[in-house]
Amino acid sequence: MKTAIIFFFFASSACAAQLTGNEQIPIISQDQEVNFDGSYRSSYETGNGIAAQEQGVLKNAGNPDAEAEEVQGSFQYTAPDGSPISLQYIANENGFQPQGAHLPIAPTPPPIPAAIQRALEWNAAHPEPEEAVRRF
């Protein structure tokens, strides 16, 4: 949750940096809803093309071992170089997971060498017997 809020703040700050002087940008729409169960949703759109939306919910409420907040949302704006930026994200027990065409893509890992692959397959097919537990 904190990660999503920090990221949202960063995106808003980046968009605000595009403004020059005392330029007034109107808020075209803004909507917020906070529910008693902790779920929420929020969205806004500005006159210069910035738009954002987010919703969050507490999953497995009441179960301390499985309880987790899940937040998902998106935002879009125009970068200083004129390119459109659009990002979708989800933040949950698996961490912050952003997606956007402007984000770098990790290189594909190299294939496992054939000899190592054969060894892995042999190990999987021939598990070692469990050792007897020695008790004194």
Side-chain angles (χ1 to χ4, degrees):
M1 174 69 175
K2 290 179 185 177
T3 306
I5 291 172
I6 291 169
F7 194 75
F8 194 70
F9 175 75
F10 173 73
S12 298
S13 298
C15 296
Q18 294 179 23
L19 301 179
T20 58
N22 293 329
E23 190 176 354
Q24 297 286 321
I25 306 298
I27 302 294
I28 295 172
S29 67
Q30 182 175 6
D31 186 34
Q32 300 162 346
E33 179 183 319
V34 179
N35 301 309
F36 288 107
D37 63 357
S39 63
Y40 71 93
R41 64 178 184 80
S42 172
S43 65
Y44 69 88
E45 183 178 355
T46 66
N48 61 349
I50 300 170
Q53 66 86 24
E54 180 177 283
Q55 57 269 346
V57 64
L58 182 62
K59 297 184 335 182
N60 303 313
N63 183 350
D65 294 331
E67 194 171 77
E69 178 118 16
E70 181 167 280
V71 175
Q72 42 186 316
S74 64
F75 61 85
Q76 61 239 5
Y77 63 94
T78 302
D81 67 359
S83 60
I85 302 295
S86 179
L87 186 109
Q88 298 79 37
Y89 60 88
I90 185 167
N92 56 22
E93 64 274 10
N94 298 318
F96 182 71
Q97 304 153 55
Q99 294 181 345
H102 64 289
L103 297 176
I105 297 173
T108 303
I112 298 173
I116 293 176
Q117 184 63 43
R118 283 192 308 271
L120 291 171
E121 290 167 358
W122 191 89
N123 286 342
H126 301 90
E128 292 190 26
E130 291 187 34
E131 292 184 26
V133 178
R134 291 179 51 177
R135 299 189 186 212
F136 295 96

